[in-house]
Amino acid sequence: MKSIYLWIAACCILSACQTTSQSSASINQITPLFSDSVNNLAGKSALPIMHDEKRYWLLTSETKGILLLDDQGQLLSTFSGNMEMLDWRDNIQIDNKEYGLITTTDNNLQQILVLGLDWQTQQLSLMSRLSQPEGQVEALCWYQMPQGHLSVFIADAKGVVEQRIVVDAKNQTLVDVPVHEFIGTLQTKSCAADDEAGIVYLAEENIGLWRYPADPEAELVRELVIAVSPFGPMEGEVSHVDVLDNGDVLVSAPDQQGVWHVEAGNNANAHFIPLTGADKPETSNGVLQSSNLVLGIFDDQSSAYSRAQLNISTTNREIQASEFGSVTPFAQTEPMQVFGDAADDPAIWINSAAPEQSRILGTNKKQGMMLYDLQGNLLQELNVGRVNNVDIRYGFKLGNRTFDLAAASNRTTNSISLFALQQDSGEMSFLSDIKTDLADVYGLCMYQQEDQYHVFINDTDGRFQQYLLKPNNDEVGAKLIREFRVPSQPEGCVADDTNQQLYYGEESTGVWQISARPTKAGARLIATTSSNFVADVEGMGIYNMGGKRYLVASSQGNNSFGVFALDQNNRYLGSFRIDMDLTAGIDGVSETDGLEITSLSLGANLPDGLLVVQDGRNRLPNAPQNFKLVDGVLIKQLIKQWLKN
């Protein structure tokens, strides 16, 4: 019930804040699209398109399928079938040839079709058929992803919206790869995507127009753009949405006999354009030409196609190229067993005798500690509680045993959980828990000075504690030797043993540096959050190259990773994102909690080390969280490139 009230409140706010008026655009009289060329189409969409500075028209028809006409109404090509909806993208490369691509559904076959338009011959042909969703398709639209891949959003009668990649841009091949799905709207009438802004719009018949992020790695939130009465200015049903080249949106309102024009990124500025002469304009598709907006209109009452030309004032948007670098993972770990916030922080155990047999420890904060090989295969799991962060140090001696030691923050017991790692295989065994007096343990890292092993652990309230581990016969004890705090919630940390320094993140503020030795010296803020390095600051690790140190820290707020030159007064070098590798079937990385990085060789395949990051949203297709593996050579190349600038 609470969510209903919140939704109503949001709608009331939208209605109160939205400045609506009748557009001052000058519209010429609506005229039949083509008087003689086509008749009895019984369709739904008339889409004006531009190619080589010439205007063409794509029409749907329940009797004749898809029709391509020139601007004078000359029929150029048809593809038979019973079609109502379609979307279009031009200049798509497939097998070294350029096509215009149409996505549509054939109502008779109950299939989603991908049609290609060869501009050299001006002929339409079937390129592929996509697998059918469980529910009847209500709407579909193209979205060209930042990586160049062409995907389609499919909304079905069950309210499910599925995104699939249809064109692999790297290999220029047709594919049918599920990316992810989510619950959209229950009465979806239409969808349209803005490629440049990374937005997909869903028109819900009795509610209004919703805006969603189109990037599968983005946080799934929706925003009501324009609503129907009494919560917004629209009357009756919402039947169609179209996105113009500048990002403005057209929302068809057949009961008002017109269309709403909403400026890109400015929901408060919505103008109504009456379509005089149209009885019930169900769909309105537009194309901008100079200061003119050319509309293709389908009237549901008369079943007629019309055109109109408006003199309209629009603004061109500035497209800013991303300043971030980009890398791709070569492998990923098996996903966690259940959906939800589970995977959190990795650590890399290095097998000094056989580096290619090194291992990855990963925390599952719903279950315990996981052990993977360098291909991401799960080798072992220890169900010891809700472990959060993990770190490793080598050569720990306990009685007559020598092993490598892992420590993890355990939120089930508010303790430090210790694990022994066999030095020849990395196989884990649980040792013991070291109790703390912290109320909600969170981040953790280790520090080693000669034969002394330390653990730093923090609380969500900002407290840090430093423990010195003390071997005692066959048990490991610990002594609290220092405590300090940060102003707000901390998260990940990493210790530089050689330089005896500790780096830790304060989620909302940035990165701090303090002596790793138990002194009374205070901390200093060495990196602050910014427009590129965005809160929350989470996991971090140190990459060594050419005798210099580089801090890599996750910037959870914009799904990126900031790199800082520690030996150049902590200079910010740049940020990078981890994108999908469609050929390998591995999605990109988002909302990273923990990470670990090493520059040490892990065998012939990883001579420059390895970066392991937690992936908060596992796509391609939807799956529980996991960890992604990135070749260290890619990080090395990025750093070298930044250092040249």
Side-chain angles (χ1 to χ4, degrees), residues 559-579:
N559 302 328
S560 70
F561 302 85
V563 180
F564 301 86
L566 298 179
D567 300 307
Q568 295 183 13
N569 197 28
N570 310 302
R571 178 167 71 96
Y572 170 70
L573 295 181
S575 294
F576 66 92
R577 291 193 171 102
I578 301 176
D579 285 335

Side-chain angles (χ1 to χ4, degrees), residues 86-90 92 100-104 112-115 128 130 140-145 150-154 163-167 174 191-195 199-200 214:
L86 87 162
D87 200 10
W88 162 263
R89 288 295 184 275
D90 205 2
I92 305 299
L101 287 190
I102 296 168
T103 181
T104 185
I112 302 171
L113 307 181
V114 177
L115 308 181
S128 69
L130 304 184
L140 73 171
C141 53
W142 287 127
Y143 169 61
Q144 191 155 19
M145 307 171 78
L150 185 63
S151 66
V152 63
F153 283 96
I154 305 165
Q163 182 182 12
R164 299 187 200 160
I165 295 177
V166 177
V167 178
L174 290 162
C191 82
D194 183 339
D195 298 346
I199 292 169
V200 61

Side-chain angles (χ1 to χ4, degrees), residues 576-643:
F576 66 92
R577 291 193 171 102
I578 301 176
D579 285 335
M580 70 168 63
D581 186 330
L582 187 57
T583 302
I586 305 174
D587 67 305
V589 169
S590 52
E591 204 177 30
T592 291
D593 284 324
L595 66 82
E596 183 60 288
I597 190 168
T598 180
S599 59
L600 296 177
S601 173
L602 300 183
N605 293 330
L606 297 168
D608 292 296
L610 173 67
L611 169 66
V612 183
V613 302
Q614 182 259 6
D615 184 11
R617 303 184 187 99
N618 193 11
R619 309 299 195 203
L620 215 68
N622 283 8
Q625 294 178 342
N626 68 350
F627 299 94
K628 299 297 194 287
L629 284 63
V630 177
D631 191 338
V633 71
L634 300 179
I635 309 304
K636 184 177 181 179
Q637 290 170 353
L638 278 176
I639 294 173
K640 285 185 173 181
Q641 178 181 334
W642 286 325
L643 291 174

Side-chain angles (χ1 to χ4, degrees), residues 35-108:
S35 56
D36 300 322
S37 300
V38 289
N39 295 292
N40 301 320
L41 292 182
K44 193 174 183 180
S45 295
L47 180 64
I49 62 174
M50 298 296 298
H51 183 78
D52 286 344
E53 300 183 355
K54 294 181 180 179
R55 188 166 61 215
Y56 299 83
W57 294 84
L58 286 171
L59 310 183
T60 61
S61 168
E62 297 177 17
T63 58
K64 298 182 180 180
I66 302 291
L67 297 85
L68 172 69
L69 302 98
D70 64 19
D71 203 36
Q72 289 71 47
Q74 180 68 36
L75 183 63
L76 303 176
S77 181
T78 62
F79 187 89
S80 62
N82 175 357
M83 284 78 159
E84 292 184 348
M85 66 187 79
L86 87 162
D87 200 10
W88 162 263
R89 288 295 184 275
D90 205 2
N91 306 317
I92 305 299
Q93 296 286 333
I94 301 174
D95 293 332
N96 294 317
K97 188 172 182 178
E98 196 170 272
Y99 292 89
L101 287 190
I102 296 168
T103 181
T104 185
T105 58
D106 189 309
N107 296 331
N108 293 335

